[in-house]
Amino acid sequence: MAQEQTMKAETAAKKLGILLAAAPESFREGPVTRTAFDELRTEPPAWLEELRREGPHPRPVVAQKLGISISGLTRAGVDEPLTTAEIKALLQEMPEWLVRERATQAEVHSENARVKQQRADKAAARAQD
């Protein structure tokens, strides 16, 4: 009989968008089976729902909630995980660094959209030839 696939708790936490250090010890202490991981995604327990709702959140989630890049967090010196309340406070305060990083992120998204459209136009032109 084949052994079920497992992943490290750290990998599972990343895929679930949570901070491993904030997860219960029972989750952190061992490998997570594919079945257990699928259950966590489809029927999250109370602790997982609370972590996703309140935090503390890992850097990728903090960056996404602030509308900036992970590099923007680094440039701003934000090294620690933030809670949802801390993120909301930053969004209300809108410090200069956050305004600047959000503008940078908007420019990056705009440029990516422009390049994508340009490639699609070229592909369409080649298809007509």
Side-chain angles (χ1 to χ4, degrees):
M1 187 167 139
Q3 185 177 359
E4 186 172 16
Q5 282 186 317
T6 61
M7 65 183 87
K8 293 179 183 175
E10 181 179 357
T11 303
K14 283 181 183 177
K15 289 179 179 233
L16 292 169
I18 61 169
L19 189 65
L20 180 60
E25 191 174 330
S26 59
F27 178 83
R28 294 190 316 248
E29 65 189 15
V32 178
T33 65
R34 176 63 61 188
T35 302
F37 178 76
D38 289 342
E39 284 178 21
L40 287 169
R41 280 199 341 214
T42 57
E43 297 176 31
W47 66 264
L48 180 54
E49 288 181 340
E50 183 176 335
L51 262 181
R52 285 178 167 166
R53 189 174 48 252
E54 305 297 329
H57 303 288
R59 292 171 59 78
V61 175
V62 172
Q64 184 263 325
K65 286 179 178 278
L66 289 174
I68 65 174
S69 67
I70 295 173
S71 299
L73 284 177
T74 302
R75 284 189 292 272
V78 179
D79 298 328
E80 299 297 316
L82 299 178
T83 64
T84 300
E86 291 168 326
I87 292 168
K88 285 181 180 176
L90 279 172
L91 288 170
Q92 287 178 340
E93 293 168 19
M94 285 305 274
E96 184 182 327
W97 67 264
L98 184 54
V99 172
R100 187 174 54 250
E101 291 300 336
R102 288 172 66 109
T104 299
Q105 189 74 349
E107 288 174 23
V108 168
H109 285 298
S110 175
E111 178 63 11
N112 287 345
R114 185 190 68 77
V115 169
K116 184 177 180 180
Q117 184 60 50
Q118 190 177 39
R119 287 179 180 157
D121 292 346
K122 285 182 181 178
R126 280 193 303 268
Q128 287 180 342
D129 290 346

